[in-house]
């Protein structure tokens, strides 16, 4: 799995999850989504920037009809959540009566979802579910229902597979943890 140690900016990271393990977890989430949304046409709302890698692999495995849109929010500064969500690119589609699947890279504090879910719910969709690649239950600050989690991880700072450290590391196929 990649290099034994990498450096991004001023921090060292060691290998944590291989691309193969990530792919297995995505296969499982996709299989559940395919079963649960058979005969329906969900709207996948991908949260940028980190969610792009997971969304790409997940949606290649989704076998039904669907639509895909993107929103962009920011809530991180360096290695920690700022606690505030800044909406950079909002949702322009009408979601009333639609099945929405919000695609996230990681759910840690839950701040992003705590901000996004009420906004989406106010537009009266038929349903809203969250599909996230990674989940850090030890970091969660808000009660959330999370039905499509690919992998639960400890409360460590990780990079790779869409996750970054001040802009670097998103392109790594494996996930690394701060050394």
């Amino acid at each position: 799995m990649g290099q034994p140690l990498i450096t991004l900016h001023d921090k060292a990271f060691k290998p944590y999850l291989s691309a193969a393990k990530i792919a297995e977890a995505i296969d499982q989430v996709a299989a559940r989504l395919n079963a649960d949304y058979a005969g329906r046409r969900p709207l996948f709302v991908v949260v940028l920037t980190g969610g792009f890698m997971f969304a790409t692999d997940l949606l290649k495995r989704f076998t039904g009809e669907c639509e895909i849109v993107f929103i962009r929010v920011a809530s991180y500064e360096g290695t920690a959540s700022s606690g505030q969500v800044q909406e950079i690119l909002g949702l322009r589609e009408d979601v009333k009566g639609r099945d929405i699947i919000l695609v996230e890279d990681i759910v840690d504090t839950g701040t992003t979802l705590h901000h996004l879910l009420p906004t989406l719910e106010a537009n009266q969709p038929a349903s809203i579910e969250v599909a996230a690649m990674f989940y850090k239950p030890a970091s969660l600050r808000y009660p959330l229902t999370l039905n499509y989690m690919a992998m639960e991880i400890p409360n460590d700072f990780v990079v790779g597979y869409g996750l970054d450290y001040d802009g670097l590391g998103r392109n790594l196929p494996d996930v690394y943890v701060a050394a």
Side-chain angles (χ1 to χ4, degrees):
M1 181 178 95
Q3 304 171 13
L5 196 66
I6 63 168
T7 301
L8 301 174
H9 295 296
D10 58 344
K11 294 203 177 304
F13 295 87
K14 60 186 177 184
Y16 179 62
L17 294 168
S18 70
K21 284 190 186 270
I22 292 167
E24 288 173 19
I26 295 169
D27 287 343
Q28 292 175 3
V29 171
R32 289 187 53 223
L33 286 167
N34 284 326
D36 293 350
Y37 287 88
R40 296 159 72 182
R41 185 186 302 168
L43 175 66
F44 285 90
V45 178
V46 181
V47 181
L48 297 174
T49 301
F52 80 97
M53 194 89 92
F54 175 51
T56 298
D57 289 340
L58 179 66
L59 292 167
K60 284 189 277 187
R61 292 165 170 85
F62 187 76
T63 56
E65 288 185 356
C66 67
E67 293 179 56
I68 306 164
V69 296
F70 300 90
I71 60 173
R72 186 166 182 211
V73 296
S75 64
Y76 257 74
E77 293 173 4
T79 61
S81 174
S82 67
Q84 297 185 356
V85 176
Q86 177 186 7
E87 196 168 296
I88 299 166
L89 175 65
L91 184 64
R92 291 184 169 79
E93 283 69 23
D94 181 10
V95 299
K96 187 173 184 176
R98 302 286 310 269
D99 291 313
I100 296 173
I101 302 169
L102 197 58
V103 182
E104 271 273 42
D105 55 352
I106 190 165
V107 175
D108 48 20
T109 65
T111 301
T112 300
L113 292 175
H114 182 72
H115 170 80
L116 289 175
L117 290 173
T119 302
L120 290 170
E121 288 166 355
N123 291 300
Q124 303 174 332
S127 66
I128 302 175
E129 294 290 348
V130 175
M133 184 63 226
F134 303 108
Y135 171 47
K136 293 182 179 180
S139 302
L140 199 61
R141 295 182 189 160
Y142 304 97
L144 296 169
T145 302
L146 307 170
N147 292 325
Y148 299 98
M149 296 295 112
M151 301 183 94
E152 191 172 300
I153 61 174
N155 192 18
D156 296 319
F157 186 71
V158 292
V159 298
Y161 200 73
L163 304 168
D164 73 305
Y165 172 44
D166 282 342
L168 297 180
R170 287 190 198 280
N171 63 312
L172 299 169
D174 303 314
V175 172
Y176 294 77
V177 63

